[in-house]
Amino acid sequence: MREFYLPLVTLHIAAGVASLLTLVPPLVARKGGAWHRRIGWAFVAAMTLTAVSGLVIAGLWITVPLLVKPPAKLLSPDEAAARIAMMRQFGCFLAYLGVLILQSVTSGVRAVAVGRRRAVHGALVDRAMAVFVLGTGAALAIAGIYHSSVLMIVFGAIGGLGGWRDLRYHLRPQTERRAWLLRHLDSMLGAVIAALTAFSVFNADRLFGAALPDDLAFLPWVLPTLIGVPAARAYRARYTRGEK
């Protein structure tokens, strides 16, 4: 199992790095230009590979946690049970972040297709994706209640709310001329925030230099959102004001 797991993790990390490296050029390039499109597709491919590999990793953490990350010493039954529970909880988080990334990237691509009249706004596939995100967010929140995990409850609620907003967006006609562009920006930047959240959580010790105290253990989970959402809104404001 480790012979499969370790290369998978390497692929996941490489795809994540590639997605971040290909993020900036589309942000600064002229929207719709050749540079924006070419690097943008590279970003989509890298982000999709990041999400898919993350989902596979999450599945392994949930189903065979001690095989993919065997303990360094022999554990007592209670210690093994606690380790398995922790890994499965983190696996659920990683899986949901993968779902959010895939949904966001797909929505961003389809928004451009709608803007170029190659797709219909509010198509069945768009509504189905929104319902899926809403449902999985609700499931994560319910699991959080069962396991007394505040983070699972909060992230499930946030994801479910995002799915509900997406569903409302697709059920309503969009008459604004650049609604598709704003949707594209929101979706792609949302994918980046979700990916950075996964990176922050699973590299918290490296990022913060040492294990965080219990009262700050939530920081890696919320920091990408606290920074990314205002930054995304500031970038988006250029287009809501009508600037090109």
Side-chain angles (χ1 to χ4, degrees), residues 34-205:
W35 183 250
H36 176 90
R37 293 196 304 271
R38 291 169 184 170
I39 305 300
W41 278 115
F43 168 80
V44 167
M47 192 63 80
T48 300
L49 184 56
T50 301
V52 172
S53 58
L55 284 170
V56 178
I57 292 171
L60 294 174
W61 278 46
I62 294 170
T63 55
V64 287
L66 296 185
L67 289 182
V68 296
K69 291 184 73 68
K73 63 177 183 178
L74 185 64
L75 302 178
S76 69
D78 289 342
E79 290 173 332
R83 182 181 178 90
I84 290 172
M86 180 273 294
M87 289 189 64
R88 284 177 172 168
Q89 180 173 322
F90 272 73
C92 289
F93 277 119
L94 181 60
Y96 192 57
L97 289 172
V99 168
L100 293 180
I101 292 172
L102 282 178
Q103 189 270 344
S104 296
V105 170
T106 303
S107 294
V109 171
R110 285 192 56 79
V112 175
V114 170
R116 295 178 177 175
R117 303 187 184 279
R118 296 176 181 172
V120 178
H121 169 75
L124 178 60
V125 62
D126 299 312
R127 287 177 283 166
M129 285 192 300
V131 170
F132 181 71
V133 171
L134 172 60
T136 50
L140 184 63
I142 293 171
I145 295 173
Y146 178 79
H147 292 287
S148 300
S149 172
V150 175
L151 282 173
M152 291 177 75
I153 296 171
V154 171
F155 269 82
I158 292 174
L161 178 60
W164 172 248
R165 293 179 62 185
D166 283 349
L167 184 60
R168 292 181 61 192
Y169 172 85
H170 290 301
L171 290 176
R172 293 179 176 179
Q174 299 297 314
T175 57
E176 295 182 11
R177 181 169 57 90
R178 284 179 298 175
W180 67 271
L181 175 59
L182 300 180
R183 174 73 177 176
H184 174 72
L185 295 175
D186 289 343
S187 297
M188 293 305 187
L189 293 174
V192 172
I193 293 173
L196 289 176
T197 300
F199 176 81
S200 174
V201 169
F202 288 94
N203 294 276
D205 291 345

